Amino acid sequence: MDEFVLADSIKSNNSVIGGLSGVDFANGYYYFVVDDSRKPRFVKSKIKFDKDTITSIDFIDVIYLNDSTETFYNNTFLDLESIFVDEETQEINFVSEGSIVKGKSPSVFTTDALGKLVHNYTIPSYFIPNKIAKLKHNGAFEGSSKSVDNKGFWIAMESPLIVDGDEPTFKKTSSPIRITYFDKTSKKATKQFAYQLEHITKPSKGKVNLNGLTAILEYKENHFFIIERTYQSGYGAHGNIIRIFEATVANETTNILNVASLRKTDFIPLKKKLLFNFENVENKLTDGIIDNIEGITFGPTLANGNKSLLLVSDDNFQLYGKQLNQLLLLEIVEK
């Protein structure tokens, strides 16, 4: 429906607006998480829409995660990748992928509206890096979604655990990632399903060739929108392939919560189908670029009554060359 590109390096409350790695809509506001491990923070904003277009974004507040009464922030490597807001409690929930090379675990935790720690969730042992549990650096927790019944939430990996499968390549490989449900009452992981990533569809031109899950959104019970992001160096600003898939928990889908290794176990993954490939609309986007899309949430109800999605890209603060702070508005058409 529309594209809106923020200017480079704009500031709000003395914070550079960039590295937008996740987004959630709650209480009339859009909340963006900033992927900056030096100064973990989130941004509260208002987005104005007119006739199914994005007209402006007003950044209202920047909140830094800081709590002098807790050791959690000092002892945890906060590489924030996703955010969702509990509208009942007004608490903010975060997903961090940690730092595997430093032996720092990924984490899921909750703060109040001012960034003070409320709760840190216990995660299954195979997500904690050690000699047994093998995780890929920059491939741990990446996406999150509130459950539609508001009784829990979902956390998704970006890449497979090494004990589960291989990284996607140009050739077809088995690359299952884990999507885990956490119950808000027990504050424990209670079920988990495997999602098979696609293989890479273009031949390599450079050293970096990867495909992984970057965002997830449950849109009705056990039905998800999932973003897969392929990135390949050597293609310049056109190195990203962004696709949206539908994934569904069926009666036969295997609950793998207590499975230590998917390589050694037979399982039935989530059903999936391709919904949208941005390669088909690149000519409508700024400079023909689909950038590093890492966030997805519901947008406004459109003029025709259909629901919409809002997607956001992480520009990595321009550290790796020219990138876009790109917001995209999509219409959901049910068939």
Side-chain angles (χ1 to χ4, degrees), residues 79-184:
D79 189 353
L80 303 179
E81 295 293 345
S82 189
I83 185 173
F84 61 97
V85 180
D86 190 320
E87 292 185 277
E88 291 183 355
T89 65
Q90 302 302 306
E91 293 171 341
I92 319 293
N93 299 271
F94 297 92
V95 169
S96 167
E97 66 178 353
S99 176
I100 306 308
V101 295
K102 295 181 179 180
K104 295 293 186 178
S105 172
S107 57
V108 183
F109 62 98
T110 304
T111 76
D112 65 15
L114 299 177
K116 292 186 180 297
L117 182 70
V118 174
H119 181 76
N120 177 31
Y121 283 83
T122 299
I123 60 176
S125 59
Y126 40 73
F127 292 140
I128 301 173
N130 54 44
K131 292 182 180 180
I132 299 175
K134 300 293 186 181
L135 293 84
K136 178 192 173 187
H137 183 66
N138 287 332
F141 293 171
E142 183 72 20
S144 66
S145 173
K146 292 172 281 195
S147 63
V148 293
D149 61 10
N150 205 35
K151 294 180 180 179
F153 55 88
W154 300 89
I155 302 296
M157 297 281 287
E158 179 176 354
S159 302
L161 294 174
I162 295 173
V163 296
D164 286 342
D166 301 317
E167 288 293 306
T169 66
F170 186 55
K171 298 180 180 179
K172 185 66 176 177
T173 55
S174 178
S175 306
I177 57 100
R178 295 178 184 242
I179 298 176
T180 309
Y181 178 83
F182 286 80
D183 179 79
K184 283 169 52 176

Side-chain angles (χ1 to χ4, degrees), residues 229-282:
R229 184 266 332 269
T230 298
Y231 174 71
Q232 295 177 275
S233 60
Y235 286 88
H238 300 272
N240 291 301
I241 296 174
I242 306 296
R243 291 170 288 183
I244 302 177
F245 292 87
E246 179 190 42
T248 306
V249 180
N251 291 333
E252 65 271 19
T253 308
T254 307
N255 183 349
I256 59 168
L257 183 64
N258 297 316
V259 176
S261 171
L262 296 179
R263 288 185 188 269
K264 301 177 181 180
T265 306
D266 292 330
F267 65 93
I268 298 175
L270 294 163
K271 290 185 175 180
K272 67 180 292 191
K273 68 176 180 180
L274 178 65
L275 297 179
F276 195 75
N277 187 338
F278 278 93
E279 289 182 297
N280 297 328
V281 295
E282 285 181 344

Side-chain angles (χ1 to χ4, degrees), residues 3-51:
E3 176 199 36
F4 188 96
V5 177
L6 295 169
D8 295 343
S9 302
I10 62 173
K11 287 188 175 183
S12 176
N13 294 33
N14 295 317
S15 170
V16 175
I17 301 299
L20 304 178
S21 188
V23 61
D24 187 38
F25 178 74
N27 302 313
Y29 296 94
Y30 288 88
Y31 295 80
F32 297 95
V33 69
V34 178
D35 185 359
D36 180 359
S37 60
R38 299 166 301 171
K39 295 180 179 180
R41 59 195 185 274
F42 66 99
V43 180
K44 184 178 180 180
S45 70
K46 278 277 190 181
I47 301 180
K48 294 181 180 179
F49 301 89
D50 181 48
K51 296 181 179 178

